[in-house]
Amino acid sequence: MKNALHYRALASLYRQQAAYNPSKKWHLLGQAERWEHLAAQELASHFEECNAGQSNAKAISELAA
């Protein structure tokens, strides 16, 4: 989760720089999009791991019953 927060912060910084640097605006916005994409991937993998852990725990408890 720390990585996702870090990636989102970087994306925000790139968007701020784009506002103040019109000559590099599109490049900086592209970089912001890249960091947002990485944050989304990080969050998705985190929730997949959480859900997999819950599924495994449920299967084990059903076997024990």
Side-chain angles (χ1 to χ4, degrees):
M1 289 293 273
K2 282 185 178 181
N3 286 340
L5 292 173
H6 181 73
Y7 297 158
R8 290 246 165 113
L10 286 171
S12 178
L13 289 173
Y14 274 106
R15 284 191 298 275
Q16 289 173 14
Q17 287 299 312
Y20 293 106
N21 196 342
S23 65
K24 295 183 180 181
K25 176 182 176 178
W26 294 111
H27 171 73
L28 294 168
L29 289 175
Q31 291 297 315
E33 181 66 25
R34 175 178 165 260
W35 288 110
E36 284 290 345
H37 179 73
L38 289 172
Q41 283 182 326
E42 185 76 20
L43 288 171
S45 68
H46 172 75
F47 286 114
E48 285 175 8
E49 289 174 10
C50 288
N51 290 337
Q54 289 176 355
S55 295
N56 289 341
K58 184 178 178 183
I60 292 170
S61 67
E62 287 175 356
L63 288 173

